[in-house]
Amino acid sequence: MPELRWALIIAGGYAAGVVGSVLGVPSPYLLASLLVGSVLALSGRVRDRLPGPANRTSQALVGALMGSHLTSSALMAAAPSALPLTAVTAATIGLSVAIAWFLARKGRISRPSAVLGMMPGGSAGIVTCADELKADVRLVAFNQYLRVGLVATTAPLLAHWMAGGSSSGPAGGGPGSWPGPGLFHLVAGPDQLTGLLTLAAVSVAGVLAGRRLRLPTPALIGPMLIALVATMSGVIPAFAPTGILQDVVFVLVGMDVGVRFTRDTLRRVRGLLPSILAAMTAVCLGCAGMAWIFARATGTPLMDAYLATTPGGINAVLAAAVSSHGDVALVSTVQSLRLLVVMLVTPMIIRRLTPNRPKPAGTTAPAGDRRRVLR
């Protein structure tokens, strides 16, 4: 039974997270499950993606967690940095497009494929619209999820290092710590039943609203907006996932990223892998530089600035922010703003860069080379 098999895989990822928590690994449930998923996919033991219901549930719960941190006081505190945040968002998108353009010129990749592959955020939405924008869907998907994997792996480690290795708590853990505040403490408020019912209502309503409004990644953004409204109303009981529930959500997020890296995917793009990795490294270093400038200009802690400006991987970055006791409201605000902007401007950028609508190939190489690269 596929359901039982996936339940065992997820349980294995959770067990690996417990071990990581005891050993003091930053964001243990995210990193351990990502590693387990990658090993299973590359070994050929897992050939399919995380089941849709599990993936959508994890996105909805992450969205609810993000929205619960966006209180009125947190947003007011971030208001003075609105102009620098906008500048950083624009600069991140501009840097990604510039490096993608250079990659398209030097590699065997078409401009639409390169730009879509390098866009910092909205992986699911970007991949969905790749075919419509005449890009190679397989190449775009690989680039997007490789970037997410790199961010998911490095962000918790760098955040832990920037915080001086002092983070501890339910999602991060220090050496010898155990997951969660209590076995049956699943939401932040004291009334667990009411909190769980509220969390379920916020998640379901958010997903439905996101689909109705045609938001990018509706299962994530919809619950985040509903949770934001519910939190700012001040009359809704606390519902943010915590403890074991939060750990399981992070396991699902990590597993979803890890199982995408199959041997077949790597074979298809191995000829382009060095160029792609170099381009992604340049984007990540550029974003780190912007984080340093933003931190110096606004007085924001470098760790928070770095997590807010990482090129995508919003679920993993939020996990790192929670684990490191960072400014989750700031990180959520900046990452969500960029996600929305990316989804809005990407089609316009593609059409601007390719006014003549070139042939819908994923690469600009001759047909023989293209078959060799993507076979």
Side-chain angles (χ1 to χ4, degrees), residues 209-272:
R211 289 174 177 172
R212 177 63 62 89
L213 297 174
R214 297 184 179 180
L215 297 174
T217 56
L220 177 72
I221 300 299
M224 186 191 76
L225 295 178
I226 297 295
L228 169 63
V229 173
T231 300
M232 296 188 69
S233 71
V235 298
I236 303 296
F239 57 85
T242 190
I244 291 179
L245 179 58
Q246 185 184 96
D247 296 336
V248 170
V249 171
F250 291 160
V251 167
L252 294 175
V253 171
M255 192 69 67
D256 182 56
V257 175
V259 297
R260 298 173 190 267
F261 295 101
T262 62
R263 286 182 293 181
D264 182 53
T265 302
L266 291 178
R267 278 196 299 267
R268 289 173 179 170
V269 298
R270 66 185 172 192
L272 301 171

Coordinates of all heavy atoms in Angstrom, one line a residue, residues 209-272:
A209 N -9.6 29.9 -0.3 CA -9.5 31.3 -0.7 C -8.4 31.5 -1.7 O -8.5 32.2 -2.7 CB -9.3 32.2 0.5
G210 N -7.3 30.8 -1.5 CA -6.1 30.9 -2.4 C -6.5 30.4 -3.8 O -6.1 31.0 -4.8
R211 N -7.2 29.3 -3.8 CA -7.6 28.8 -5.2 C -8.6 29.8 -5.8 O -8.5 30.0 -7.0 CB -8.2 27.4 -5.0 CG -7.1 26.4 -4.6 CD -7.8 25.0 -4.4 NE -6.8 24.0 -4.1 CZ -7.2 22.8 -3.7 NH1 -8.4 22.5 -3.5 NH2 -6.2 21.9 -3.4
R212 N -9.5 30.2 -5.0 CA -10.6 31.1 -5.6 C -9.9 32.4 -6.2 O -10.4 32.9 -7.2 CB -11.6 31.4 -4.6 CG -12.7 32.4 -5.0 CD -13.5 31.8 -6.1 NE -14.2 30.6 -5.8 CZ -15.4 30.6 -5.2 NH1 -16.1 31.7 -5.0 NH2 -16.0 29.4 -4.9
L213 N -9.0 33.0 -5.4 CA -8.3 34.2 -5.8 C -7.2 34.0 -6.8 O -6.5 34.9 -7.2 CB -7.8 34.9 -4.6 CG -8.9 35.4 -3.6 CD1 -8.2 36.0 -2.3 CD2 -9.8 36.4 -4.2
R214 N -6.9 32.7 -7.1 CA -5.8 32.3 -8.0 C -4.5 32.9 -7.6 O -3.7 33.5 -8.3 CB -6.1 32.8 -9.4 CG -7.4 32.1 -10.0 CD -7.6 32.5 -11.4 NE -8.8 31.8 -12.0 CZ -9.2 32.0 -13.2 NH1 -8.6 32.8 -14.0 NH2 -10.3 31.3 -13.6
L215 N -4.2 32.8 -6.3 CA -2.9 33.2 -5.7 C -1.8 32.3 -6.1 O -2.0 31.1 -6.4 CB -3.0 33.3 -4.2 CG -4.0 34.3 -3.6 CD1 -4.1 34.1 -2.1 CD2 -3.6 35.7 -3.9
P216 N -0.5 32.8 -6.2 CA 0.6 31.9 -6.4 C 0.7 31.0 -5.2 O 0.6 31.4 -4.1 CB 1.8 32.8 -6.6 CG 1.4 34.1 -5.9 CD -0.1 34.2 -6.1
T217 N 1.0 29.7 -5.5 CA 1.1 28.7 -4.4 C -0.1 28.9 -3.4 O 0.2 29.2 -2.2 CB 2.4 28.7 -3.7 OG1 2.7 30.0 -3.1 CG2 3.6 28.3 -4.6
P218 N -1.3 28.6 -3.8 CA -2.5 28.9 -3.0 C -2.5 28.2 -1.7 O -3.0 28.7 -0.7 CB -3.7 28.6 -3.9 CG -3.1 27.6 -4.8 CD -1.7 28.0 -5.1
A219 N -1.9 27.0 -1.6 CA -2.0 26.2 -0.4 C -1.1 26.8 0.7 O -1.2 26.5 1.9 CB -1.5 24.8 -0.7
L220 N -0.1 27.7 0.3 CA 0.7 28.3 1.2 C 0.3 29.8 1.5 O 0.1 30.1 2.7 CB 2.2 28.4 0.7 CG 3.2 29.1 1.5 CD1 3.5 28.3 2.8 CD2 4.5 29.3 0.7
I221 N 0.1 30.5 0.5 CA -0.2 32.0 0.6 C -1.6 32.2 1.2 O -1.9 33.0 2.0 CB -0.1 32.7 -0.7 CG1 1.4 32.6 -1.2 CG2 -0.4 34.2 -0.5 CD1 2.4 33.1 -0.2
G222 N -2.6 31.3 0.7 CA -4.0 31.5 1.2 C -4.1 31.3 2.7 O -4.6 32.2 3.4
P223 N -3.6 30.2 3.3 CA -3.6 30.1 4.8 C -2.8 31.2 5.5 O -3.2 31.6 6.6 CB -3.0 28.7 5.0 CG -3.4 27.9 3.8 CD -3.2 29.0 2.7
M224 N -1.7 31.6 4.9 CA -1.0 32.7 5.5 C -1.8 34.0 5.7 O -1.8 34.6 6.7 CB 0.3 33.0 4.7 CG 1.2 34.0 5.4 SD 2.6 34.5 4.3 CE 1.6 35.7 3.3
L225 N -2.5 34.3 4.6 CA -3.4 35.5 4.7 C -4.5 35.4 5.6 O -4.8 36.3 6.4 CB -3.9 35.9 3.2 CG -2.8 36.2 2.2 CD1 -3.4 36.5 0.9 CD2 -2.0 37.4 2.7
I226 N -5.2 34.2 5.6 CA -6.3 34.0 6.6 C -5.7 34.0 8.0 O -6.4 34.6 8.9 CB -7.0 32.7 6.3 CG1 -7.6 32.7 4.9 CG2 -8.0 32.4 7.3 CD1 -8.7 33.7 4.8
A227 N -4.6 33.4 8.2 CA -4.0 33.4 9.6 C -3.6 34.8 10.0 O -3.7 35.2 11.2 CB -2.7 32.5 9.6
L228 N -3.1 35.6 9.0 CA -2.8 37.0 9.3 C -4.0 37.8 9.8 O -4.0 38.5 10.8 CB -2.2 37.7 8.1 CG -2.0 39.2 8.1 CD1 -1.0 39.6 9.2 CD2 -1.6 39.7 6.8
V229 N -5.1 37.6 9.1 CA -6.4 38.3 9.5 C -6.8 37.8 10.8 O -7.2 38.6 11.7 CB -7.4 38.1 8.4 CG1 -8.8 38.6 8.9 CG2 -7.0 38.7 7.1
A230 N -6.8 36.5 11.0 CA -7.2 35.9 12.3 C -6.4 36.4 13.5 O -6.9 36.7 14.6 CB -7.2 34.4 12.2
T231 N -5.1 36.4 13.3 CA -4.2 36.9 14.3 C -4.4 38.3 14.7 O -4.4 38.7 15.9 CB -2.7 36.6 13.9 OG1 -2.5 35.2 13.6 CG2 -1.7 37.0 15.0
M232 N -4.5 39.2 13.6 CA -4.6 40.6 13.9 C -6.0 41.0 14.5 O -6.1 42.0 15.0 CB -4.3 41.4 12.6 CG -2.9 41.2 12.1 SD -2.5 42.3 10.7 CE -2.5 43.9 11.5
S233 N -7.0 40.1 14.3 CA -8.3 40.4 14.9 C -8.2 40.3 16.4 O -9.0 41.0 17.1 CB -9.3 39.4 14.4 OG -9.1 38.1 14.9
G234 N -7.3 39.5 17.0 CA -7.2 39.5 18.4 C -8.3 38.7 19.1 O -8.2 38.6 20.4
V235 N -9.2 38.1 18.4 CA -10.3 37.4 19.1 C -10.2 35.9 18.8 O -11.0 35.1 19.3 CB -11.7 37.9 18.6 CG1 -11.8 39.4 19.0 CG2 -11.8 37.7 17.1
I236 N -9.2 35.4 18.0 CA -9.1 34.0 17.7 C -8.1 33.4 18.6 O -7.0 34.0 18.9 CB -8.6 33.9 16.2 CG1 -9.6 34.5 15.3 CG2 -8.5 32.4 15.9 CD1 -11.0 34.0 15.2
P237 N -8.4 32.2 19.2 CA -7.4 31.6 20.1 C -6.2 31.2 19.3 O -6.2 31.0 18.1 CB -8.2 30.3 20.6 CG -9.3 30.1 19.6 CD -9.6 31.4 19.0
A238 N -5.1 31.1 20.1 CA -3.8 30.7 19.5 C -3.9 29.4 18.8 O -4.4 28.4 19.3 CB -2.7 30.7 20.5
F239 N -3.3 29.3 17.6 CA -3.5 28.1 16.7 C -2.2 27.7 16.0 O -2.2 26.7 15.3 CB -4.5 28.3 15.7 CG -4.3 29.5 14.8 CD1 -3.5 29.4 13.6 CD2 -4.8 30.7 15.0 CE1 -3.2 30.4 12.8 CE2 -4.5 31.8 14.2 CZ -3.7 31.7 13.1
A240 N -1.1 28.4 16.2 CA 0.2 28.1 15.5 C 0.7 26.7 15.9 O 0.7 26.4 17.0 CB 1.2 29.2 15.9
P241 N 1.0 25.9 14.9 CA 1.6 24.6 15.2 C 2.8 24.7 16.0 O 3.7 25.5 15.8 CB 1.9 24.0 13.8 CG 1.1 24.8 12.8 CD 1.0 26.2 13.4
T242 N 3.0 23.8 17.0 CA 4.2 23.7 17.8 C 4.5 22.3 18.2 O 3.7 21.4 17.9 CB 4.0 24.6 19.1 OG1 5.2 24.8 19.7 CG2 3.0 24.0 20.0
G243 N 5.6 22.1 18.9 CA 5.9 20.8 19.4 C 6.0 19.7 18.3 O 6.5 20.0 17.2
I244 N 5.4 18.6 18.5 CA 5.5 17.5 17.6 C 4.9 17.8 16.2 O 5.3 17.4 15.2 CB 4.9 16.2 18.2 CG1 5.8 15.7 19.3 CG2 4.7 15.1 17.1 CD1 5.3 14.5 20.0
L245 N 3.7 18.5 16.3 CA 3.0 18.9 15.0 C 3.9 19.7 14.2 O 4.0 19.5 12.9 CB 1.7 19.6 15.4 CG 0.9 20.1 14.1 CD1 0.6 18.9 13.2 CD2 -0.3 20.8 14.6
Q246 N 4.6 20.7 14.7 CA 5.5 21.5 14.0 C 6.7 20.7 13.4 O 7.1 20.9 12.3 CB 6.1 22.7 14.8 CG 6.9 23.7 14.1 CD 7.5 24.7 15.0 OE1 8.6 24.6 15.5 NE2 6.7 25.7 15.3
D247 N 7.2 19.8 14.2 CA 8.3 19.0 13.8 C 7.9 18.1 12.6 O 8.6 18.0 11.6 CB 8.8 18.0 14.9 CG 9.4 18.8 16.1 OD1 9.8 20.0 15.8 OD2 9.3 18.3 17.2
V248 N 6.7 17.5 12.6 CA 6.2 16.7 11.5 C 6.0 17.6 10.3 O 6.3 17.1 9.1 CB 4.9 16.0 11.9 CG1 4.2 15.4 10.7 CG2 5.1 15.0 13.0
V249 N 5.5 18.8 10.4 CA 5.4 19.7 9.3 C 6.8 19.9 8.6 O 6.9 19.8 7.4 CB 4.8 21.0 9.7 CG1 4.8 22.0 8.5 CG2 3.3 20.8 10.1
F250 N 7.8 20.2 9.4 CA 9.1 20.4 8.9 C 9.7 19.1 8.2 O 10.4 19.2 7.3 CB 10.1 20.9 10.0 CG 9.7 22.3 10.4 CD1 10.2 22.8 11.7 CD2 9.0 23.1 9.7 CE1 9.9 24.0 12.1 CE2 8.7 24.4 10.1 CZ 9.1 24.9 11.3
V251 N 9.3 17.9 8.8 CA 9.7 16.7 8.1 C 9.1 16.6 6.7 O 9.8 16.2 5.8 CB 9.3 15.5 9.0 CG1 9.4 14.2 8.2 CG2 10.2 15.4 10.3
L252 N 7.9 16.9 6.6 CA 7.2 16.9 5.3 C 7.8 17.8 4.3 O 8.0 17.5 3.1 CB 5.7 17.1 5.4 CG 4.9 16.1 6.2 CD1 3.5 16.6 6.4 CD2 4.9 14.8 5.5
V253 N 8.2 19.0 4.8 CA 8.8 20.0 3.9 C 10.1 19.5 3.4 O 10.5 19.6 2.2 CB 9.0 21.4 4.7 CG1 9.9 22.3 3.9 CG2 7.6 22.0 5.0
G254 N 11.0 19.0 4.3 CA 12.3 18.5 3.9 C 12.2 17.3 3.0 O 12.9 17.2 2.0
M255 N 11.2 16.4 3.3 CA 11.0 15.2 2.5 C 10.6 15.6 1.1 O 11.1 15.0 0.1 CB 10.0 14.3 3.1 CG 9.9 12.9 2.6 SD 11.4 11.9 2.9 CE 11.3 11.7 4.7
D256 N 9.7 16.5 1.0 CA 9.2 17.0 -0.3 C 10.4 17.5 -1.2 O 10.4 17.3 -2.4 CB 8.2 18.0 -0.2 CG 7.6 18.5 -1.5 OD1 7.1 17.6 -2.2 OD2 7.6 19.7 -1.8
V257 N 11.3 18.2 -0.6 CA 12.5 18.7 -1.4 C 13.4 17.5 -1.7 O 13.9 17.4 -2.9 CB 13.2 19.8 -0.6 CG1 14.5 20.2 -1.3 CG2 12.3 21.0 -0.3
G258 N 13.7 16.7 -0.8 CA 14.7 15.6 -1.0 C 14.3 14.6 -2.0 O 15.2 14.2 -2.8
V259 N 13.1 14.2 -2.1 CA 12.7 13.1 -3.0 C 12.7 13.6 -4.5 O 12.5 12.8 -5.4 CB 11.3 12.5 -2.7 CG1 11.4 11.9 -1.3 CG2 10.2 13.6 -2.7
R260 N 12.9 14.9 -4.7 CA 12.9 15.4 -6.1 C 14.2 15.1 -6.8 O 14.3 15.2 -8.0 CB 12.6 16.9 -6.1 CG 11.2 17.3 -5.6 CD 11.1 18.8 -5.5 NE 9.9 19.1 -4.7 CZ 8.7 19.4 -5.3 NH1 8.6 19.3 -6.6 NH2 7.7 19.8 -4.5
F261 N 15.3 14.8 -6.1 CA 16.6 14.6 -6.7 C 16.8 13.2 -7.0 O 17.5 12.4 -6.3 CB 17.7 15.2 -5.7 CG 17.6 16.7 -5.5 CD1 17.0 17.2 -4.4 CD2 18.0 17.5 -6.5 CE1 16.8 18.5 -4.2 CE2 17.9 18.9 -6.3 CZ 17.3 19.4 -5.1
T262 N 16.3 12.8 -8.1 CA 16.4 11.4 -8.6 C 17.6 11.2 -9.5 O 18.1 12.2 -10.1 CB 15.1 11.0 -9.4 OG1 14.9 11.8 -10.5 CG2 13.9 11.1 -8.5
R263 N 18.0 10.0 -9.8 CA 19.1 9.7 -10.7 C 18.8 10.1 -12.1 O 19.6 10.6 -12.8 CB 19.5 8.2 -10.6 CG 20.2 7.9 -9.3 CD 20.6 6.4 -9.3 NE 19.4 5.5 -9.3 CZ 19.5 4.2 -9.2 NH1 20.7 3.6 -9.3 NH2 18.4 3.5 -9.1
D264 N 17.5 9.9 -12.5 CA 17.1 10.2 -13.8 C 17.2 11.7 -14.1 O 17.6 12.2 -15.1 CB 15.6 9.8 -14.0 CG 15.1 10.0 -15.5 OD1 15.8 9.6 -16.4 OD2 14.1 10.7 -15.6
T265 N 16.8 12.5 -13.1 CA 16.9 14.0 -13.2 C 18.3 14.4 -13.3 O 18.6 15.3 -14.1 CB 16.2 14.7 -12.0 OG1 14.9 14.2 -11.9 CG2 16.3 16.2 -12.1
L266 N 19.2 13.9 -12.5 CA 20.6 14.2 -12.6 C 21.2 13.9 -13.9 O 22.1 14.6 -14.5 CB 21.4 13.6 -11.4 CG 21.1 14.1 -10.0 CD1 21.9 13.3 -9.0 CD2 21.4 15.6 -9.9
R267 N 20.8 12.7 -14.5 CA 21.4 12.3 -15.8 C 21.0 13.3 -16.9 O 21.8 13.6 -17.8 CB 20.9 10.9 -16.1 CG 21.7 9.8 -15.5 CD 21.4 8.4 -16.2 NE 20.0 8.1 -16.1 CZ 19.5 7.3 -15.1 NH1 20.2 6.8 -14.2 NH2 18.2 7.0 -15.1
R268 N 19.8 13.8 -16.8 CA 19.3 14.7 -17.8 C 20.1 16.0 -17.9 O 20.2 16.6 -19.0 CB 17.8 15.0 -17.6 CG 16.9 13.8 -17.9 CD 15.5 14.2 -17.5 NE 14.5 13.1 -17.7 CZ 13.3 13.1 -17.2 NH1 12.8 14.1 -16.5 NH2 12.5 12.1 -17.5
V269 N 20.6 16.5 -16.8 CA 21.2 17.8 -16.8 C 22.6 17.8 -16.4 O 23.2 18.8 -16.1 CB 20.4 18.7 -15.8 CG1 19.0 18.9 -16.2 CG2 20.5 18.2 -14.4
R270 N 23.3 16.6 -16.4 CA 24.6 16.5 -15.8 C 25.6 17.4 -16.7 O 26.6 17.9 -16.1 CB 25.1 15.1 -15.8 CG 25.3 14.4 -17.1 CD 25.6 12.9 -17.0 NE 25.6 12.3 -18.3 CZ 25.6 11.0 -18.4 NH1 25.7 10.2 -17.4 NH2 25.6 10.4 -19.6
G271 N 25.3 17.5 -18.0 CA 26.2 18.3 -18.8 C 26.1 19.8 -18.4 O 27.1 20.6 -18.6
L272 N 25.0 20.2 -17.9 CA 24.8 21.6 -17.5 C 25.0 21.9 -16.0 O 25.0 23.1 -15.6 CB 23.3 22.0 -17.8 CG 22.9 21.9 -19.3 CD1 21.4 22.1 -19.4 CD2 23.7 22.9 -20.2

